[in-house]
């Protein structure tokens, strides 16, 4: 999956003029990366225990392979809200929330707690597929909106810091 994901991103960026013909001649760069995954890792003890290390390595690898030290936003796996969960699922959520606290990720990785975005199953949502957020469009909207805003906040904070830099000669 990883190599396919990186190839798809690179192919899209290389072919952006065909995808958006009105933008031919303009240059593009990857400004941020959002990650929303982890449910299946909460199904296995070993995967749950390794999740935080693997997620930190994923962030490093994505940045290296896309040549982009860009902002990275991680959505914690919160599809069941704040209801009681297995220890494995809690471990994955904690890993997703804690990875942004690594010193190397300070100010450039943000974790978004998505548990407040969980919605009740049918009839409040189209389905009762909890592992797909009950197919609730509001849940997906809130996740995407908050991931995007988190990335923008990192970018704006960097710009503010650069604007306030004083050079003494």
């Amino acid at each position: 999956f990883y190599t396919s994901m990186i190839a798809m991103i690179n192919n899209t960026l290389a072919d952006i003029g065909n995808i958006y013909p009105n933008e031919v001649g303009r240059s593009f760069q990857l400004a941020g990366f959002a990650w929303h995954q982890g449910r299946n890792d909460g199904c296995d003890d070993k995967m749950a225990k390794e999740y935080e290390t693997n997620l930190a390595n994923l962030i490093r690898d994505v940045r290296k392979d896309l040549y982009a030290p860009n902002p990275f936003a991680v959505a914690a796996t919160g599809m069941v809200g704040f209801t009681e969960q297995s220890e494995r699922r809690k471990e994955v959520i904690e890993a997703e929330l804690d990875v942004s606290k690594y010193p190397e990720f300070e100010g450039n990785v943000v974790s978004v707690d998505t548990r407040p975005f969980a919605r009740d199953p049918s009839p409040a949502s189209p389905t009762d597929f909890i592992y797909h957020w009950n197919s609730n469009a509001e849940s997906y909207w809130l996740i995407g909106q908050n991931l995007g805003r988190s990335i923008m906040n990192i970018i704006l904070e960097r710009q503010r810091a650069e604007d306030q830099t004083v050079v003494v000669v």
Side-chain angles (χ1 to χ4, degrees):
F1 174 78
Y2 179 82
T3 54
S4 296
M5 176 186 71
I6 296 298
M8 185 183 305
I9 293 167
N10 284 328
N11 291 339
T12 300
L13 290 172
D15 198 33
I16 204 85
N18 287 322
I19 298 167
Y20 298 101
N22 292 339
E23 304 300 327
V24 170
R26 296 189 64 195
S27 63
F28 293 86
Q29 71 178 39
L30 193 60
F33 197 96
W35 185 254
H36 181 206
Q37 184 275 342
R39 183 226 176 248
N40 288 341
D41 295 276
C43 296
D44 178 89
D45 287 333
K46 184 176 185 290
M47 291 169 67
K49 288 186 184 338
E50 295 173 350
Y51 192 83
E52 187 171 332
T53 298
N54 290 339
L55 181 57
N57 287 333
L58 173 82
I59 294 167
R60 293 179 195 107
D61 289 347
V62 165
R63 288 176 164 172
K64 178 180 63 79
D65 292 340
L66 294 177
Y67 310 104
N70 53 324
F72 205 103
V74 176
T77 309
M79 65 230 147
V80 298
F82 291 98
T83 61
E84 190 60 36
Q85 299 188 52
S86 72
E87 287 304 313
R88 292 185 310 259
R89 295 224 187 279
K90 287 181 196 173
E91 196 166 9
V92 170
I93 291 169
E94 289 170 14
E96 291 166 327
L97 295 172
D98 287 347
V99 74
S100 62
K101 298 173 187 170
Y102 284 35
E104 70 185 286
F105 297 150
E106 183 180 341
N108 61 66
V109 173
V110 64
S111 298
V112 175
D113 189 349
T114 64
R115 290 175 290 189
F117 310 148
R119 300 297 179 255
D120 291 335
S122 185
S125 298
T127 71
D128 61 355
F129 301 140
I130 195 73
Y131 53 89
H132 285 292
W133 295 84
N134 297 319
S135 303
N136 189 291
E138 182 184 25
S139 295
Y140 285 116
W141 168 257
L142 290 168
I143 293 164
Q145 183 182 49
N146 281 270
L147 288 170
R149 283 184 178 161
S150 296
I151 289 169
M152 284 302 303
N153 287 340
I154 292 172
I155 293 168
L156 292 172
E157 187 58 39
R158 283 182 182 171
Q159 288 175 344
R160 276 192 288 276
E162 288 173 7
D163 290 345
Q164 294 178 11
T165 301
V166 177
V167 177
V168 179
V169 181

